[in-house]
Amino acid sequence: MRFLSLVLSVLLVVSLSSCDSNSTDEPIETYIGLAAPLTGALARAGQNMRIAAEMSIALANESRSEDTPPYRLIIEDTGSTTEGAEEAFENLIADGVRFVIGPFTSSNTAHVTSLIDESGIVTIAPASAAAGLSAESQWLFRSSLTVDILIPEGVRATHEFIKYTNVATVTNQADRFSKSARDKFVEELGKLSGVTLNLKETFSRFDDEIVPEMDSQIRALANTNEKIDALVFFGQAPDRIHFILRAHELGLRGIPIIIPLLSTSDLRLARETNPIATEGIFAIQVWISGSTHAASKEFVAAFEKRYGDTPNDQHARTYAAVGLLLEAIEDAGANPSSENVREELADMRNVDTIYGSFSFDKNGDADFTPLVGVARGRNLAPLGK
């Protein structure tokens, strides 16, 4: 008995020593996944996403308390394709990642929605804007505005400013966001008295395809006998850049051009080829660098200090998405489960963000006030300023 008591005492001391040792170890990391198009047609956007996600994670780690687990960013390249998006999510899931930012486009988001739902991986898509996607999974949230909020406010603001009565559209028929935005635009246009849609030009390009020339569509707009006092273009970033440059080259000028979600990244890339082609284009946007929100000013200042340049909206949308996710993780308490983080996101209402007051609606879609900007040099200026 005395021998047994001695053995138990030794085991107890060893056990307590082990506990003391473990208590001083660095807390286990919390993995944050990023599924971004680092290569392919949308590589520029993907690199912007990566930069913003790295910045957001770095700032969070710098300000965390000692007993809070550090965040570690795990990046997967979607390759700008739907198949690549699926593979990226599968890799993140296999690595044990439970919280993901991405993918970038609505088409890619739609493609992985069933995978997100089946795996129960908490996902915030920072740029997807097509209608209806978040309702397909309780695990999917979208922190950028959908066309249901973006387009009505864009139509109201641009119509009030331009006073257009005869409108033309150019739409990428193969892209889910572009079709969704066009349909909502047509719906909103029908509510305006005395405004008609005279010309509807289309083209088709899937995410992984090269941009078509669009010369026939541009010439049809330039040579029409119909009066056009506003032209609205619906497409992804490569489509927008090509259209802006080619339209200017073919002489389609003097008509106000409106482009939903035109990024300052798009502007800057187009300006590398033609510095004046973008000037005066209207953008219906979720964020612009001239925003007066306090959180937005802090973000711009932090970005400029770190990188020596003004952030674009692709940086901003990713930064905001990561911030919302980290806030939900922290609010979920110690050792947050996927279920608890999902519930925290679902309950987010009137959160202060770079967008101003932000909420998720019952479907997991963002709700805040969009902006309209005008291209002035390398950036977008608020409408009317």
Side-chain angles (χ1 to χ4, degrees):
M1 288 295 294
R2 294 174 64 184
F3 176 75
L4 178 60
S5 297
L6 180 61
V7 171
L8 290 175
S9 298
V10 171
L11 289 175
L12 179 60
V13 170
V14 171
S15 175
L16 291 174
S17 298
S18 176
C19 289
D20 289 342
S21 175
N22 289 338
S23 66
T24 61
D25 287 346
E26 181 75 11
I28 297 173
E29 294 174 319
T30 299
Y31 290 167
I32 305 297
L34 176 68
L38 303 179
T39 59
L42 298 170
R44 191 167 180 129
Q47 294 297 339
N48 288 334
M49 292 175 69
R50 178 188 59 79
I51 289 170
E54 289 175 344
M55 172 180 166
S56 188
I57 294 295
L59 291 174
N61 282 335
E62 289 168 9
S63 62
R64 72 180 181 87
S65 59
E66 289 185 1
D67 59 345
T68 302
Y71 295 106
R72 180 182 174 191
L73 188 65
I74 308 296
I75 303 175
E76 286 287 337
D77 181 14
T78 66
S80 301
T81 67
T82 53
E83 294 81 5
E86 182 176 358
E87 183 178 355
F89 268 78
E90 288 174 344
N91 290 340
L92 290 170
I93 293 168
D95 287 340
V97 177
R98 296 175 296 158
F99 314 116
V100 176
I101 301 298
F104 183 71
T105 69
S106 292
S107 295
N108 286 356
T109 304
H111 186 76
V112 298
T113 298
S114 60
L115 178 59
I116 291 169
D117 199 52
E118 291 165 7
S119 63
I121 185 170
V122 179
T123 303
I124 302 182
S128 169
L133 287 180
S134 293
E136 297 177 11
S137 173
Q138 65 175 337
W139 301 97
L140 173 62
F141 296 83
R142 294 189 294 169
S143 55
S144 185
L145 291 174
T146 68
V147 298
D148 294 320
I149 296 178
L150 187 75
I151 297 301
E153 175 60 22
V155 170
R156 183 203 64 76
T158 56
H159 179 253
E160 183 178 291
F161 190 83
I162 302 173
K163 310 296 185 187
Y164 49 73
T165 57
N166 300 287
V167 183
T169 60
V170 180
T171 308
N172 181 353
Q173 287 283 82
D175 177 61
R176 181 160 179 166
F177 157 72
S178 302
K179 290 190 296 180
S180 182
R182 187 272 318 277
D183 292 345
K184 190 65 180 178
F185 177 81
V186 172
E187 177 186 330
E188 292 302 309
L189 213 62
K191 300 176 183 178
L192 299 176
S193 176
V195 180
T196 58
L197 180 57
N198 288 326
L199 288 174
K200 293 181 283 186
E201 295 292 329
T202 62
F203 65 97
S204 291
R205 186 190 72 83
F206 292 95
D207 285 346
D208 55 345
E209 295 179 342
I210 63 172
V211 180
E213 62 177 14
M214 299 187 215
D215 284 18
S216 61
Q217 293 89 338
I218 293 169
R219 288 195 173 99
L221 294 167
N223 298 328
T224 181
N225 292 323
E226 300 282 353
K227 178 181 179 294
I228 301 175
D229 48 24
L231 168 62
V232 189
F233 183 86
F234 303 98
Q236 287 291 338
D239 310 326
R240 300 167 195 153
I241 295 166
H242 176 82
F243 179 81
I244 290 169
L245 293 173
R246 194 64 180 147
H248 191 271
E249 186 176 345
L250 294 179
L252 184 62
R253 305 173 193 174
I255 301 173
I257 298 176
I258 304 167
I259 306 181
L261 294 182
L262 175 69
S263 170
T264 45
S265 178
D266 303 337
L267 295 180
R268 293 170 187 179
L269 189 57
R271 281 174 55 84
E272 291 176 9
T273 300
N274 188 331
I276 64 172
T278 63
E279 202 68 14
I281 294 177
F282 295 87
I284 306 173
Q285 256 297 353
V286 298
W287 180 89
I288 56 178
S289 59
S291 169
T292 57
H293 296 306
S296 178
K297 289 181 177 180
E298 291 175 5
F299 162 62
V300 172
F303 190 96
E304 290 177 341
K305 180 179 180 181
R306 189 172 289 254
Y307 299 110
D309 198 5
T310 303
N312 60 51
D313 67 280
Q314 292 166 355
H315 295 128
R317 284 188 278 178
T318 305
Y319 177 86
V322 175
L324 291 166
L325 178 57
L326 298 189
E327 182 170 339
I329 291 172
E330 292 170 5
D331 289 346
N335 300 316
S337 67
S338 298
E339 292 79 5
N340 289 343
V341 173
R342 183 192 63 77
E343 290 174 6
E344 290 293 339
L345 287 171
D347 291 340
M348 277 191 173
R349 299 290 184 275
N350 303 316
V351 178
D352 184 34
T353 70
I354 62 172
Y355 301 133
S357 180
F358 177 99
S359 301
F360 281 118
D361 69 14
K362 63 180 181 179
N363 293 322
D365 281 331
D367 184 8
F368 59 92
T369 303
L371 302 169
V372 176
V374 183
R376 295 283 183 259
R378 298 178 70 251
N379 294 299
L380 293 169
L383 188 64
K385 294 186 179 181

